[in-house]
Amino acid sequence: MTPRNRTGAAAGGLAAALISLALLAGGCTEATGGVRGTPGTAGLRDPYFPKLGNGGYDVRHYALTLAYDPGSGRLDGTAEITARATQDLSAFNLDLAGLTVDRASVDGAPAAVNRAGNELTLRPREEIREGAEFRTVVRYAGVPEAITDADGSEEGWLRTADGAVAVGQPAGSMTWFPGNHHPSDKAAYELTLTVPAGLEAISNGVRTSRRTTADGRVTSVWQAPEPMASYLATVAIGRYETEETGGKGNASTTTAPVLTAAERSVADASAALRGEIPEILARQTRRFGPYPFSTAGAIVTADGTLGYALETQTRPVFPAASFDRTTLVHELAHQWFGNSVSPATWRDLWLNEGFATYAEWLYTEEFEHVPARTHFERAFAQDANWAFSPADPPSAENLFDPPVYQRGAMVLHKLRETVGDATFDRILRGWPAKYRHANASTADFTAYAESVAGRDLDALWDVWLYGDGRPESP
Ligand code: ARG
Ligand code: ZN
């Protein structure tokens, strides 16, 4: 999603006239074998997941209409994807794992569909011109299956006793909707979720409607207007209890309205901590700058399905066993670091996890009188944190290993000790401001930190960020 250009009516008329001329000219060159569109690429060459994402277009908006039957596990979906072509396109791909595509269209005309593994290729009847906005509709259905990651964890659409919970880092979202599943293509979302009466369907963003359908099911509509990487989309279906608190506070502490949801069996036990979310967000707002989204919250699921908490946008999801204050602080910090400022590629994941881990250290420093230096020294002493450089995990299997989290946080602590608290605070607030709702790489971060510090920090990066093995002293 990139900012949309607006043309005034007069300019629009002129543009239309020019386009007609261009089409006439195009018609002439076409006859003599002129420029033709080419297929968008089937991947974005991510260093760890080369096939994730697709080239040739930039998604602006996903409207996902999903009906789920927990008894059979069947999902019926319609994905309406609005995108802008970044080249002349004869065909383009979407990532989709499992499920069956019934039909697809582009700008209202049926499109040819081809399927090879997790790559869905759509060939529109007419080529799409570079710069054109187009709308594709994919109808699909089936029983979604989870993906087993390189590190053995399960992600994607996960079935629970009476519903499901969907998590997608790094690749699981392709198990429940077709899309451009790489964090570099962020978009706005609208999710319309229909489930049997008695169940709730919770998602990202703001719930704008909830109604009973003629056949006695319940349809909820969720709007997530700020740019979102597809791995941060979530759906939680089950016997959820929800609680809402309005935004409050003065200009520097204002937080967005908070909606939390907890499965009935864990609702009471999680209520007190869920109630702390506005305060934690207000504190983080003071350290990291304005909260980037129009709503906030959390989803707490009964244990037995999810293996870990995930920072799903606006509403992180937790298995009850991981719903503790430290993890909550971590996942809420990701709303700035990871969700608003997203990694350019999966190699930049330490920028998510290092900052979220450092947010835990900052929190205990401020409220439990444990200095960040103490966390740093503990992390320094642990061998597992020195297995590789956080900026260069050896393989996809190691993406979520301790160096990405702990050594990532250690880099930030060393930066703080090197530039001093005042400059470090400016970096903590300035980094999420500069890359708000965008993507950033490790090189963007080191350049930014140096620009704020006003000097070269190569010696710091060489040892703490890129160095092999543990330095002599902490
Ligand atoms: N990003 C999650 C966190 O907040 C962890 C995700 C773990 N994913 C995995 N495939 N192991 O730390
Ligand atoms: Zn994390």
Side-chain angles (χ1 to χ4, degrees):
M1 183 152 103
T2 43
R4 184 195 280 259
N5 290 322
R6 293 221 167 262
T7 11
L14 179 58
L18 288 173
I19 286 167
S20 324
L21 280 174
L23 284 176
L24 281 173
C28 297
T29 53
E30 204 89 296
T32 55
V35 184
R36 289 287 180 107
T38 51
T41 59
L44 292 174
R45 301 194 195 187
D46 185 274
Y48 296 89
F49 308 99
K51 286 184 167 171
L52 279 190
N54 303 286
Y57 64 94
D58 174 15
V59 178
R60 294 179 185 288
H61 188 266
Y62 291 91
L64 306 176
T65 304
L66 309 177
Y68 188 59
D69 174 35
S72 62
R74 182 183 160 95
L75 181 73
D76 273 279
T78 302
E80 264 187 58
I81 302 171
T82 309
R84 195 180 57 83
T86 55
Q87 65 176 66
D88 288 339
L89 275 177
S90 58
F92 62 91
N93 276 22
L94 296 167
D95 303 317
L96 181 67
L99 305 169
T100 303
V101 173
D102 301 324
R103 56 177 184 274
S105 68
V106 174
D107 290 333
V113 176
N114 185 58
R115 191 75 187 272
N118 297 340
E119 296 291 340
L120 183 68
T121 304
L122 302 193
R123 187 171 290 275
R125 191 173 281 174
E126 281 174 37
E127 293 193 349
I128 305 166
R129 288 289 160 226
E130 178 177 352
E133 186 169 287
F134 62 99
R135 188 170 146 270
T136 183
V137 179
V138 180
R139 297 236 10 176
Y140 61 100
V143 177
E145 280 180 32
I147 287 181
T148 304
D149 286 336
D151 67 0
S153 57
E154 294 267 284
E155 58 153 342
W157 189 270
L158 307 175
R159 274 177 93 166
T160 62
D162 55 6
V165 56
V167 287
Q169 191 185 38
S173 292
M174 65 162 100
T175 66
W176 58 282
F177 67 96
N180 200 14
H181 290 300
H182 187 267
S184 57
D185 189 1
K186 306 209 276 184
Y189 283 69
E190 176 186 275
L191 287 102
T192 302
L193 307 171
T194 300
V195 297
L199 299 184
E200 293 293 339
I202 313 296
S203 187
N204 315 89
V206 176
R207 184 168 56 191
T208 53
S209 98
R210 186 181 176 284
R211 58 179 197 274
T212 302
T213 63
D215 61 359
R217 294 184 293 170
V218 181
T219 299
S220 304
V221 181
W222 296 85
Q223 303 278 356
E226 295 97 5
M228 176 162 83
S230 77
Y231 77 91
L232 298 167
T234 191
V235 167
I237 295 167
R239 288 174 211 288
Y240 280 89
E241 291 183 8
T242 59
E243 194 152 343
E244 294 181 62
T245 51
K248 58 174 188 212
N250 61 38
S252 65
T253 61
T254 299
T255 66
V258 174
L259 184 151
T260 65
E263 279 195 275
R264 193 174 292 164
S265 60
V266 295
D268 287 349
S270 63
L273 189 56
R274 283 188 284 137
E276 289 186 32
I277 290 173
E279 198 185 314
I280 295 171
L281 286 176
R283 295 180 192 292
Q284 292 185 332
T285 296
R286 285 203 292 274
R287 296 306 297 265
F288 311 146
Y291 177 73
F293 304 108
S294 48
T295 182
I299 300 169
V300 186
T301 65
D303 288 320
T305 303
L306 261 188
Y308 47 80
L310 185 68
E311 63 267 25
T312 43
Q313 194 148 301
T314 67
R315 203 153 285 116
V317 57
F318 303 81
S322 307
F323 193 59
D324 53 62
R325 189 173 293 107
T326 304
T327 310
L328 179 58
V329 164
H330 178 108
E331 307 306 341
L332 293 178
H334 272 309
Q335 306 305 314
W336 284 261
F337 306 106
N339 298 9
S340 173
V341 184
S342 302
T345 74
W346 288 109
R347 177 174 281 153
D348 306 304
L349 185 66
W350 80 274
L351 289 168
N352 293 17
E353 302 305 345
F355 269 107
T357 303
Y358 202 67
E360 299 171 31
W361 298 4
L362 287 173
Y363 192 87
T364 54
E365 176 168 88
E366 212 175 327
F367 302 105
E368 291 163 22
H369 310 291
V370 180
R373 176 81 201 176
T374 305
H375 290 285
F376 171 84
E377 284 172 5
R378 270 181 214 154
F380 184 90
Q382 278 162 17
D383 293 346
N385 295 335
W386 298 100
F388 55 83
S389 147
D392 196 18
S395 76
E397 195 179 321
N398 307 105
L399 264 190
F400 297 94
D401 281 359
V404 175
Y405 287 72
Q406 301 291 322
R407 202 176 144 186
M410 291 166 74
V411 172
L412 297 173
H413 190 72
K414 268 294 167 188
L415 172 63
R416 175 179 168 184
E417 291 186 346
T418 305
V419 302
D421 279 3
T423 301
F424 184 70
D425 277 345
R426 279 168 54 215
I427 294 171
L428 267 187
R429 292 177 66 92
W431 172 247
K434 181 167 165 84
Y435 289 94
R436 186 170 194 265
H437 295 320
N439 294 80
S441 66
T442 300
D444 291 327
F445 180 70
T446 55
Y448 177 74
E450 291 182 355
S451 76
V452 178
R455 64 183 163 112
D456 178 315
L457 298 167
D458 279 348
L460 170 73
W461 313 130
D462 284 352
V463 175
W464 295 93
L465 178 56
Y466 296 115
D468 272 334
R470 182 165 25 206
E472 292 277 290
S473 58

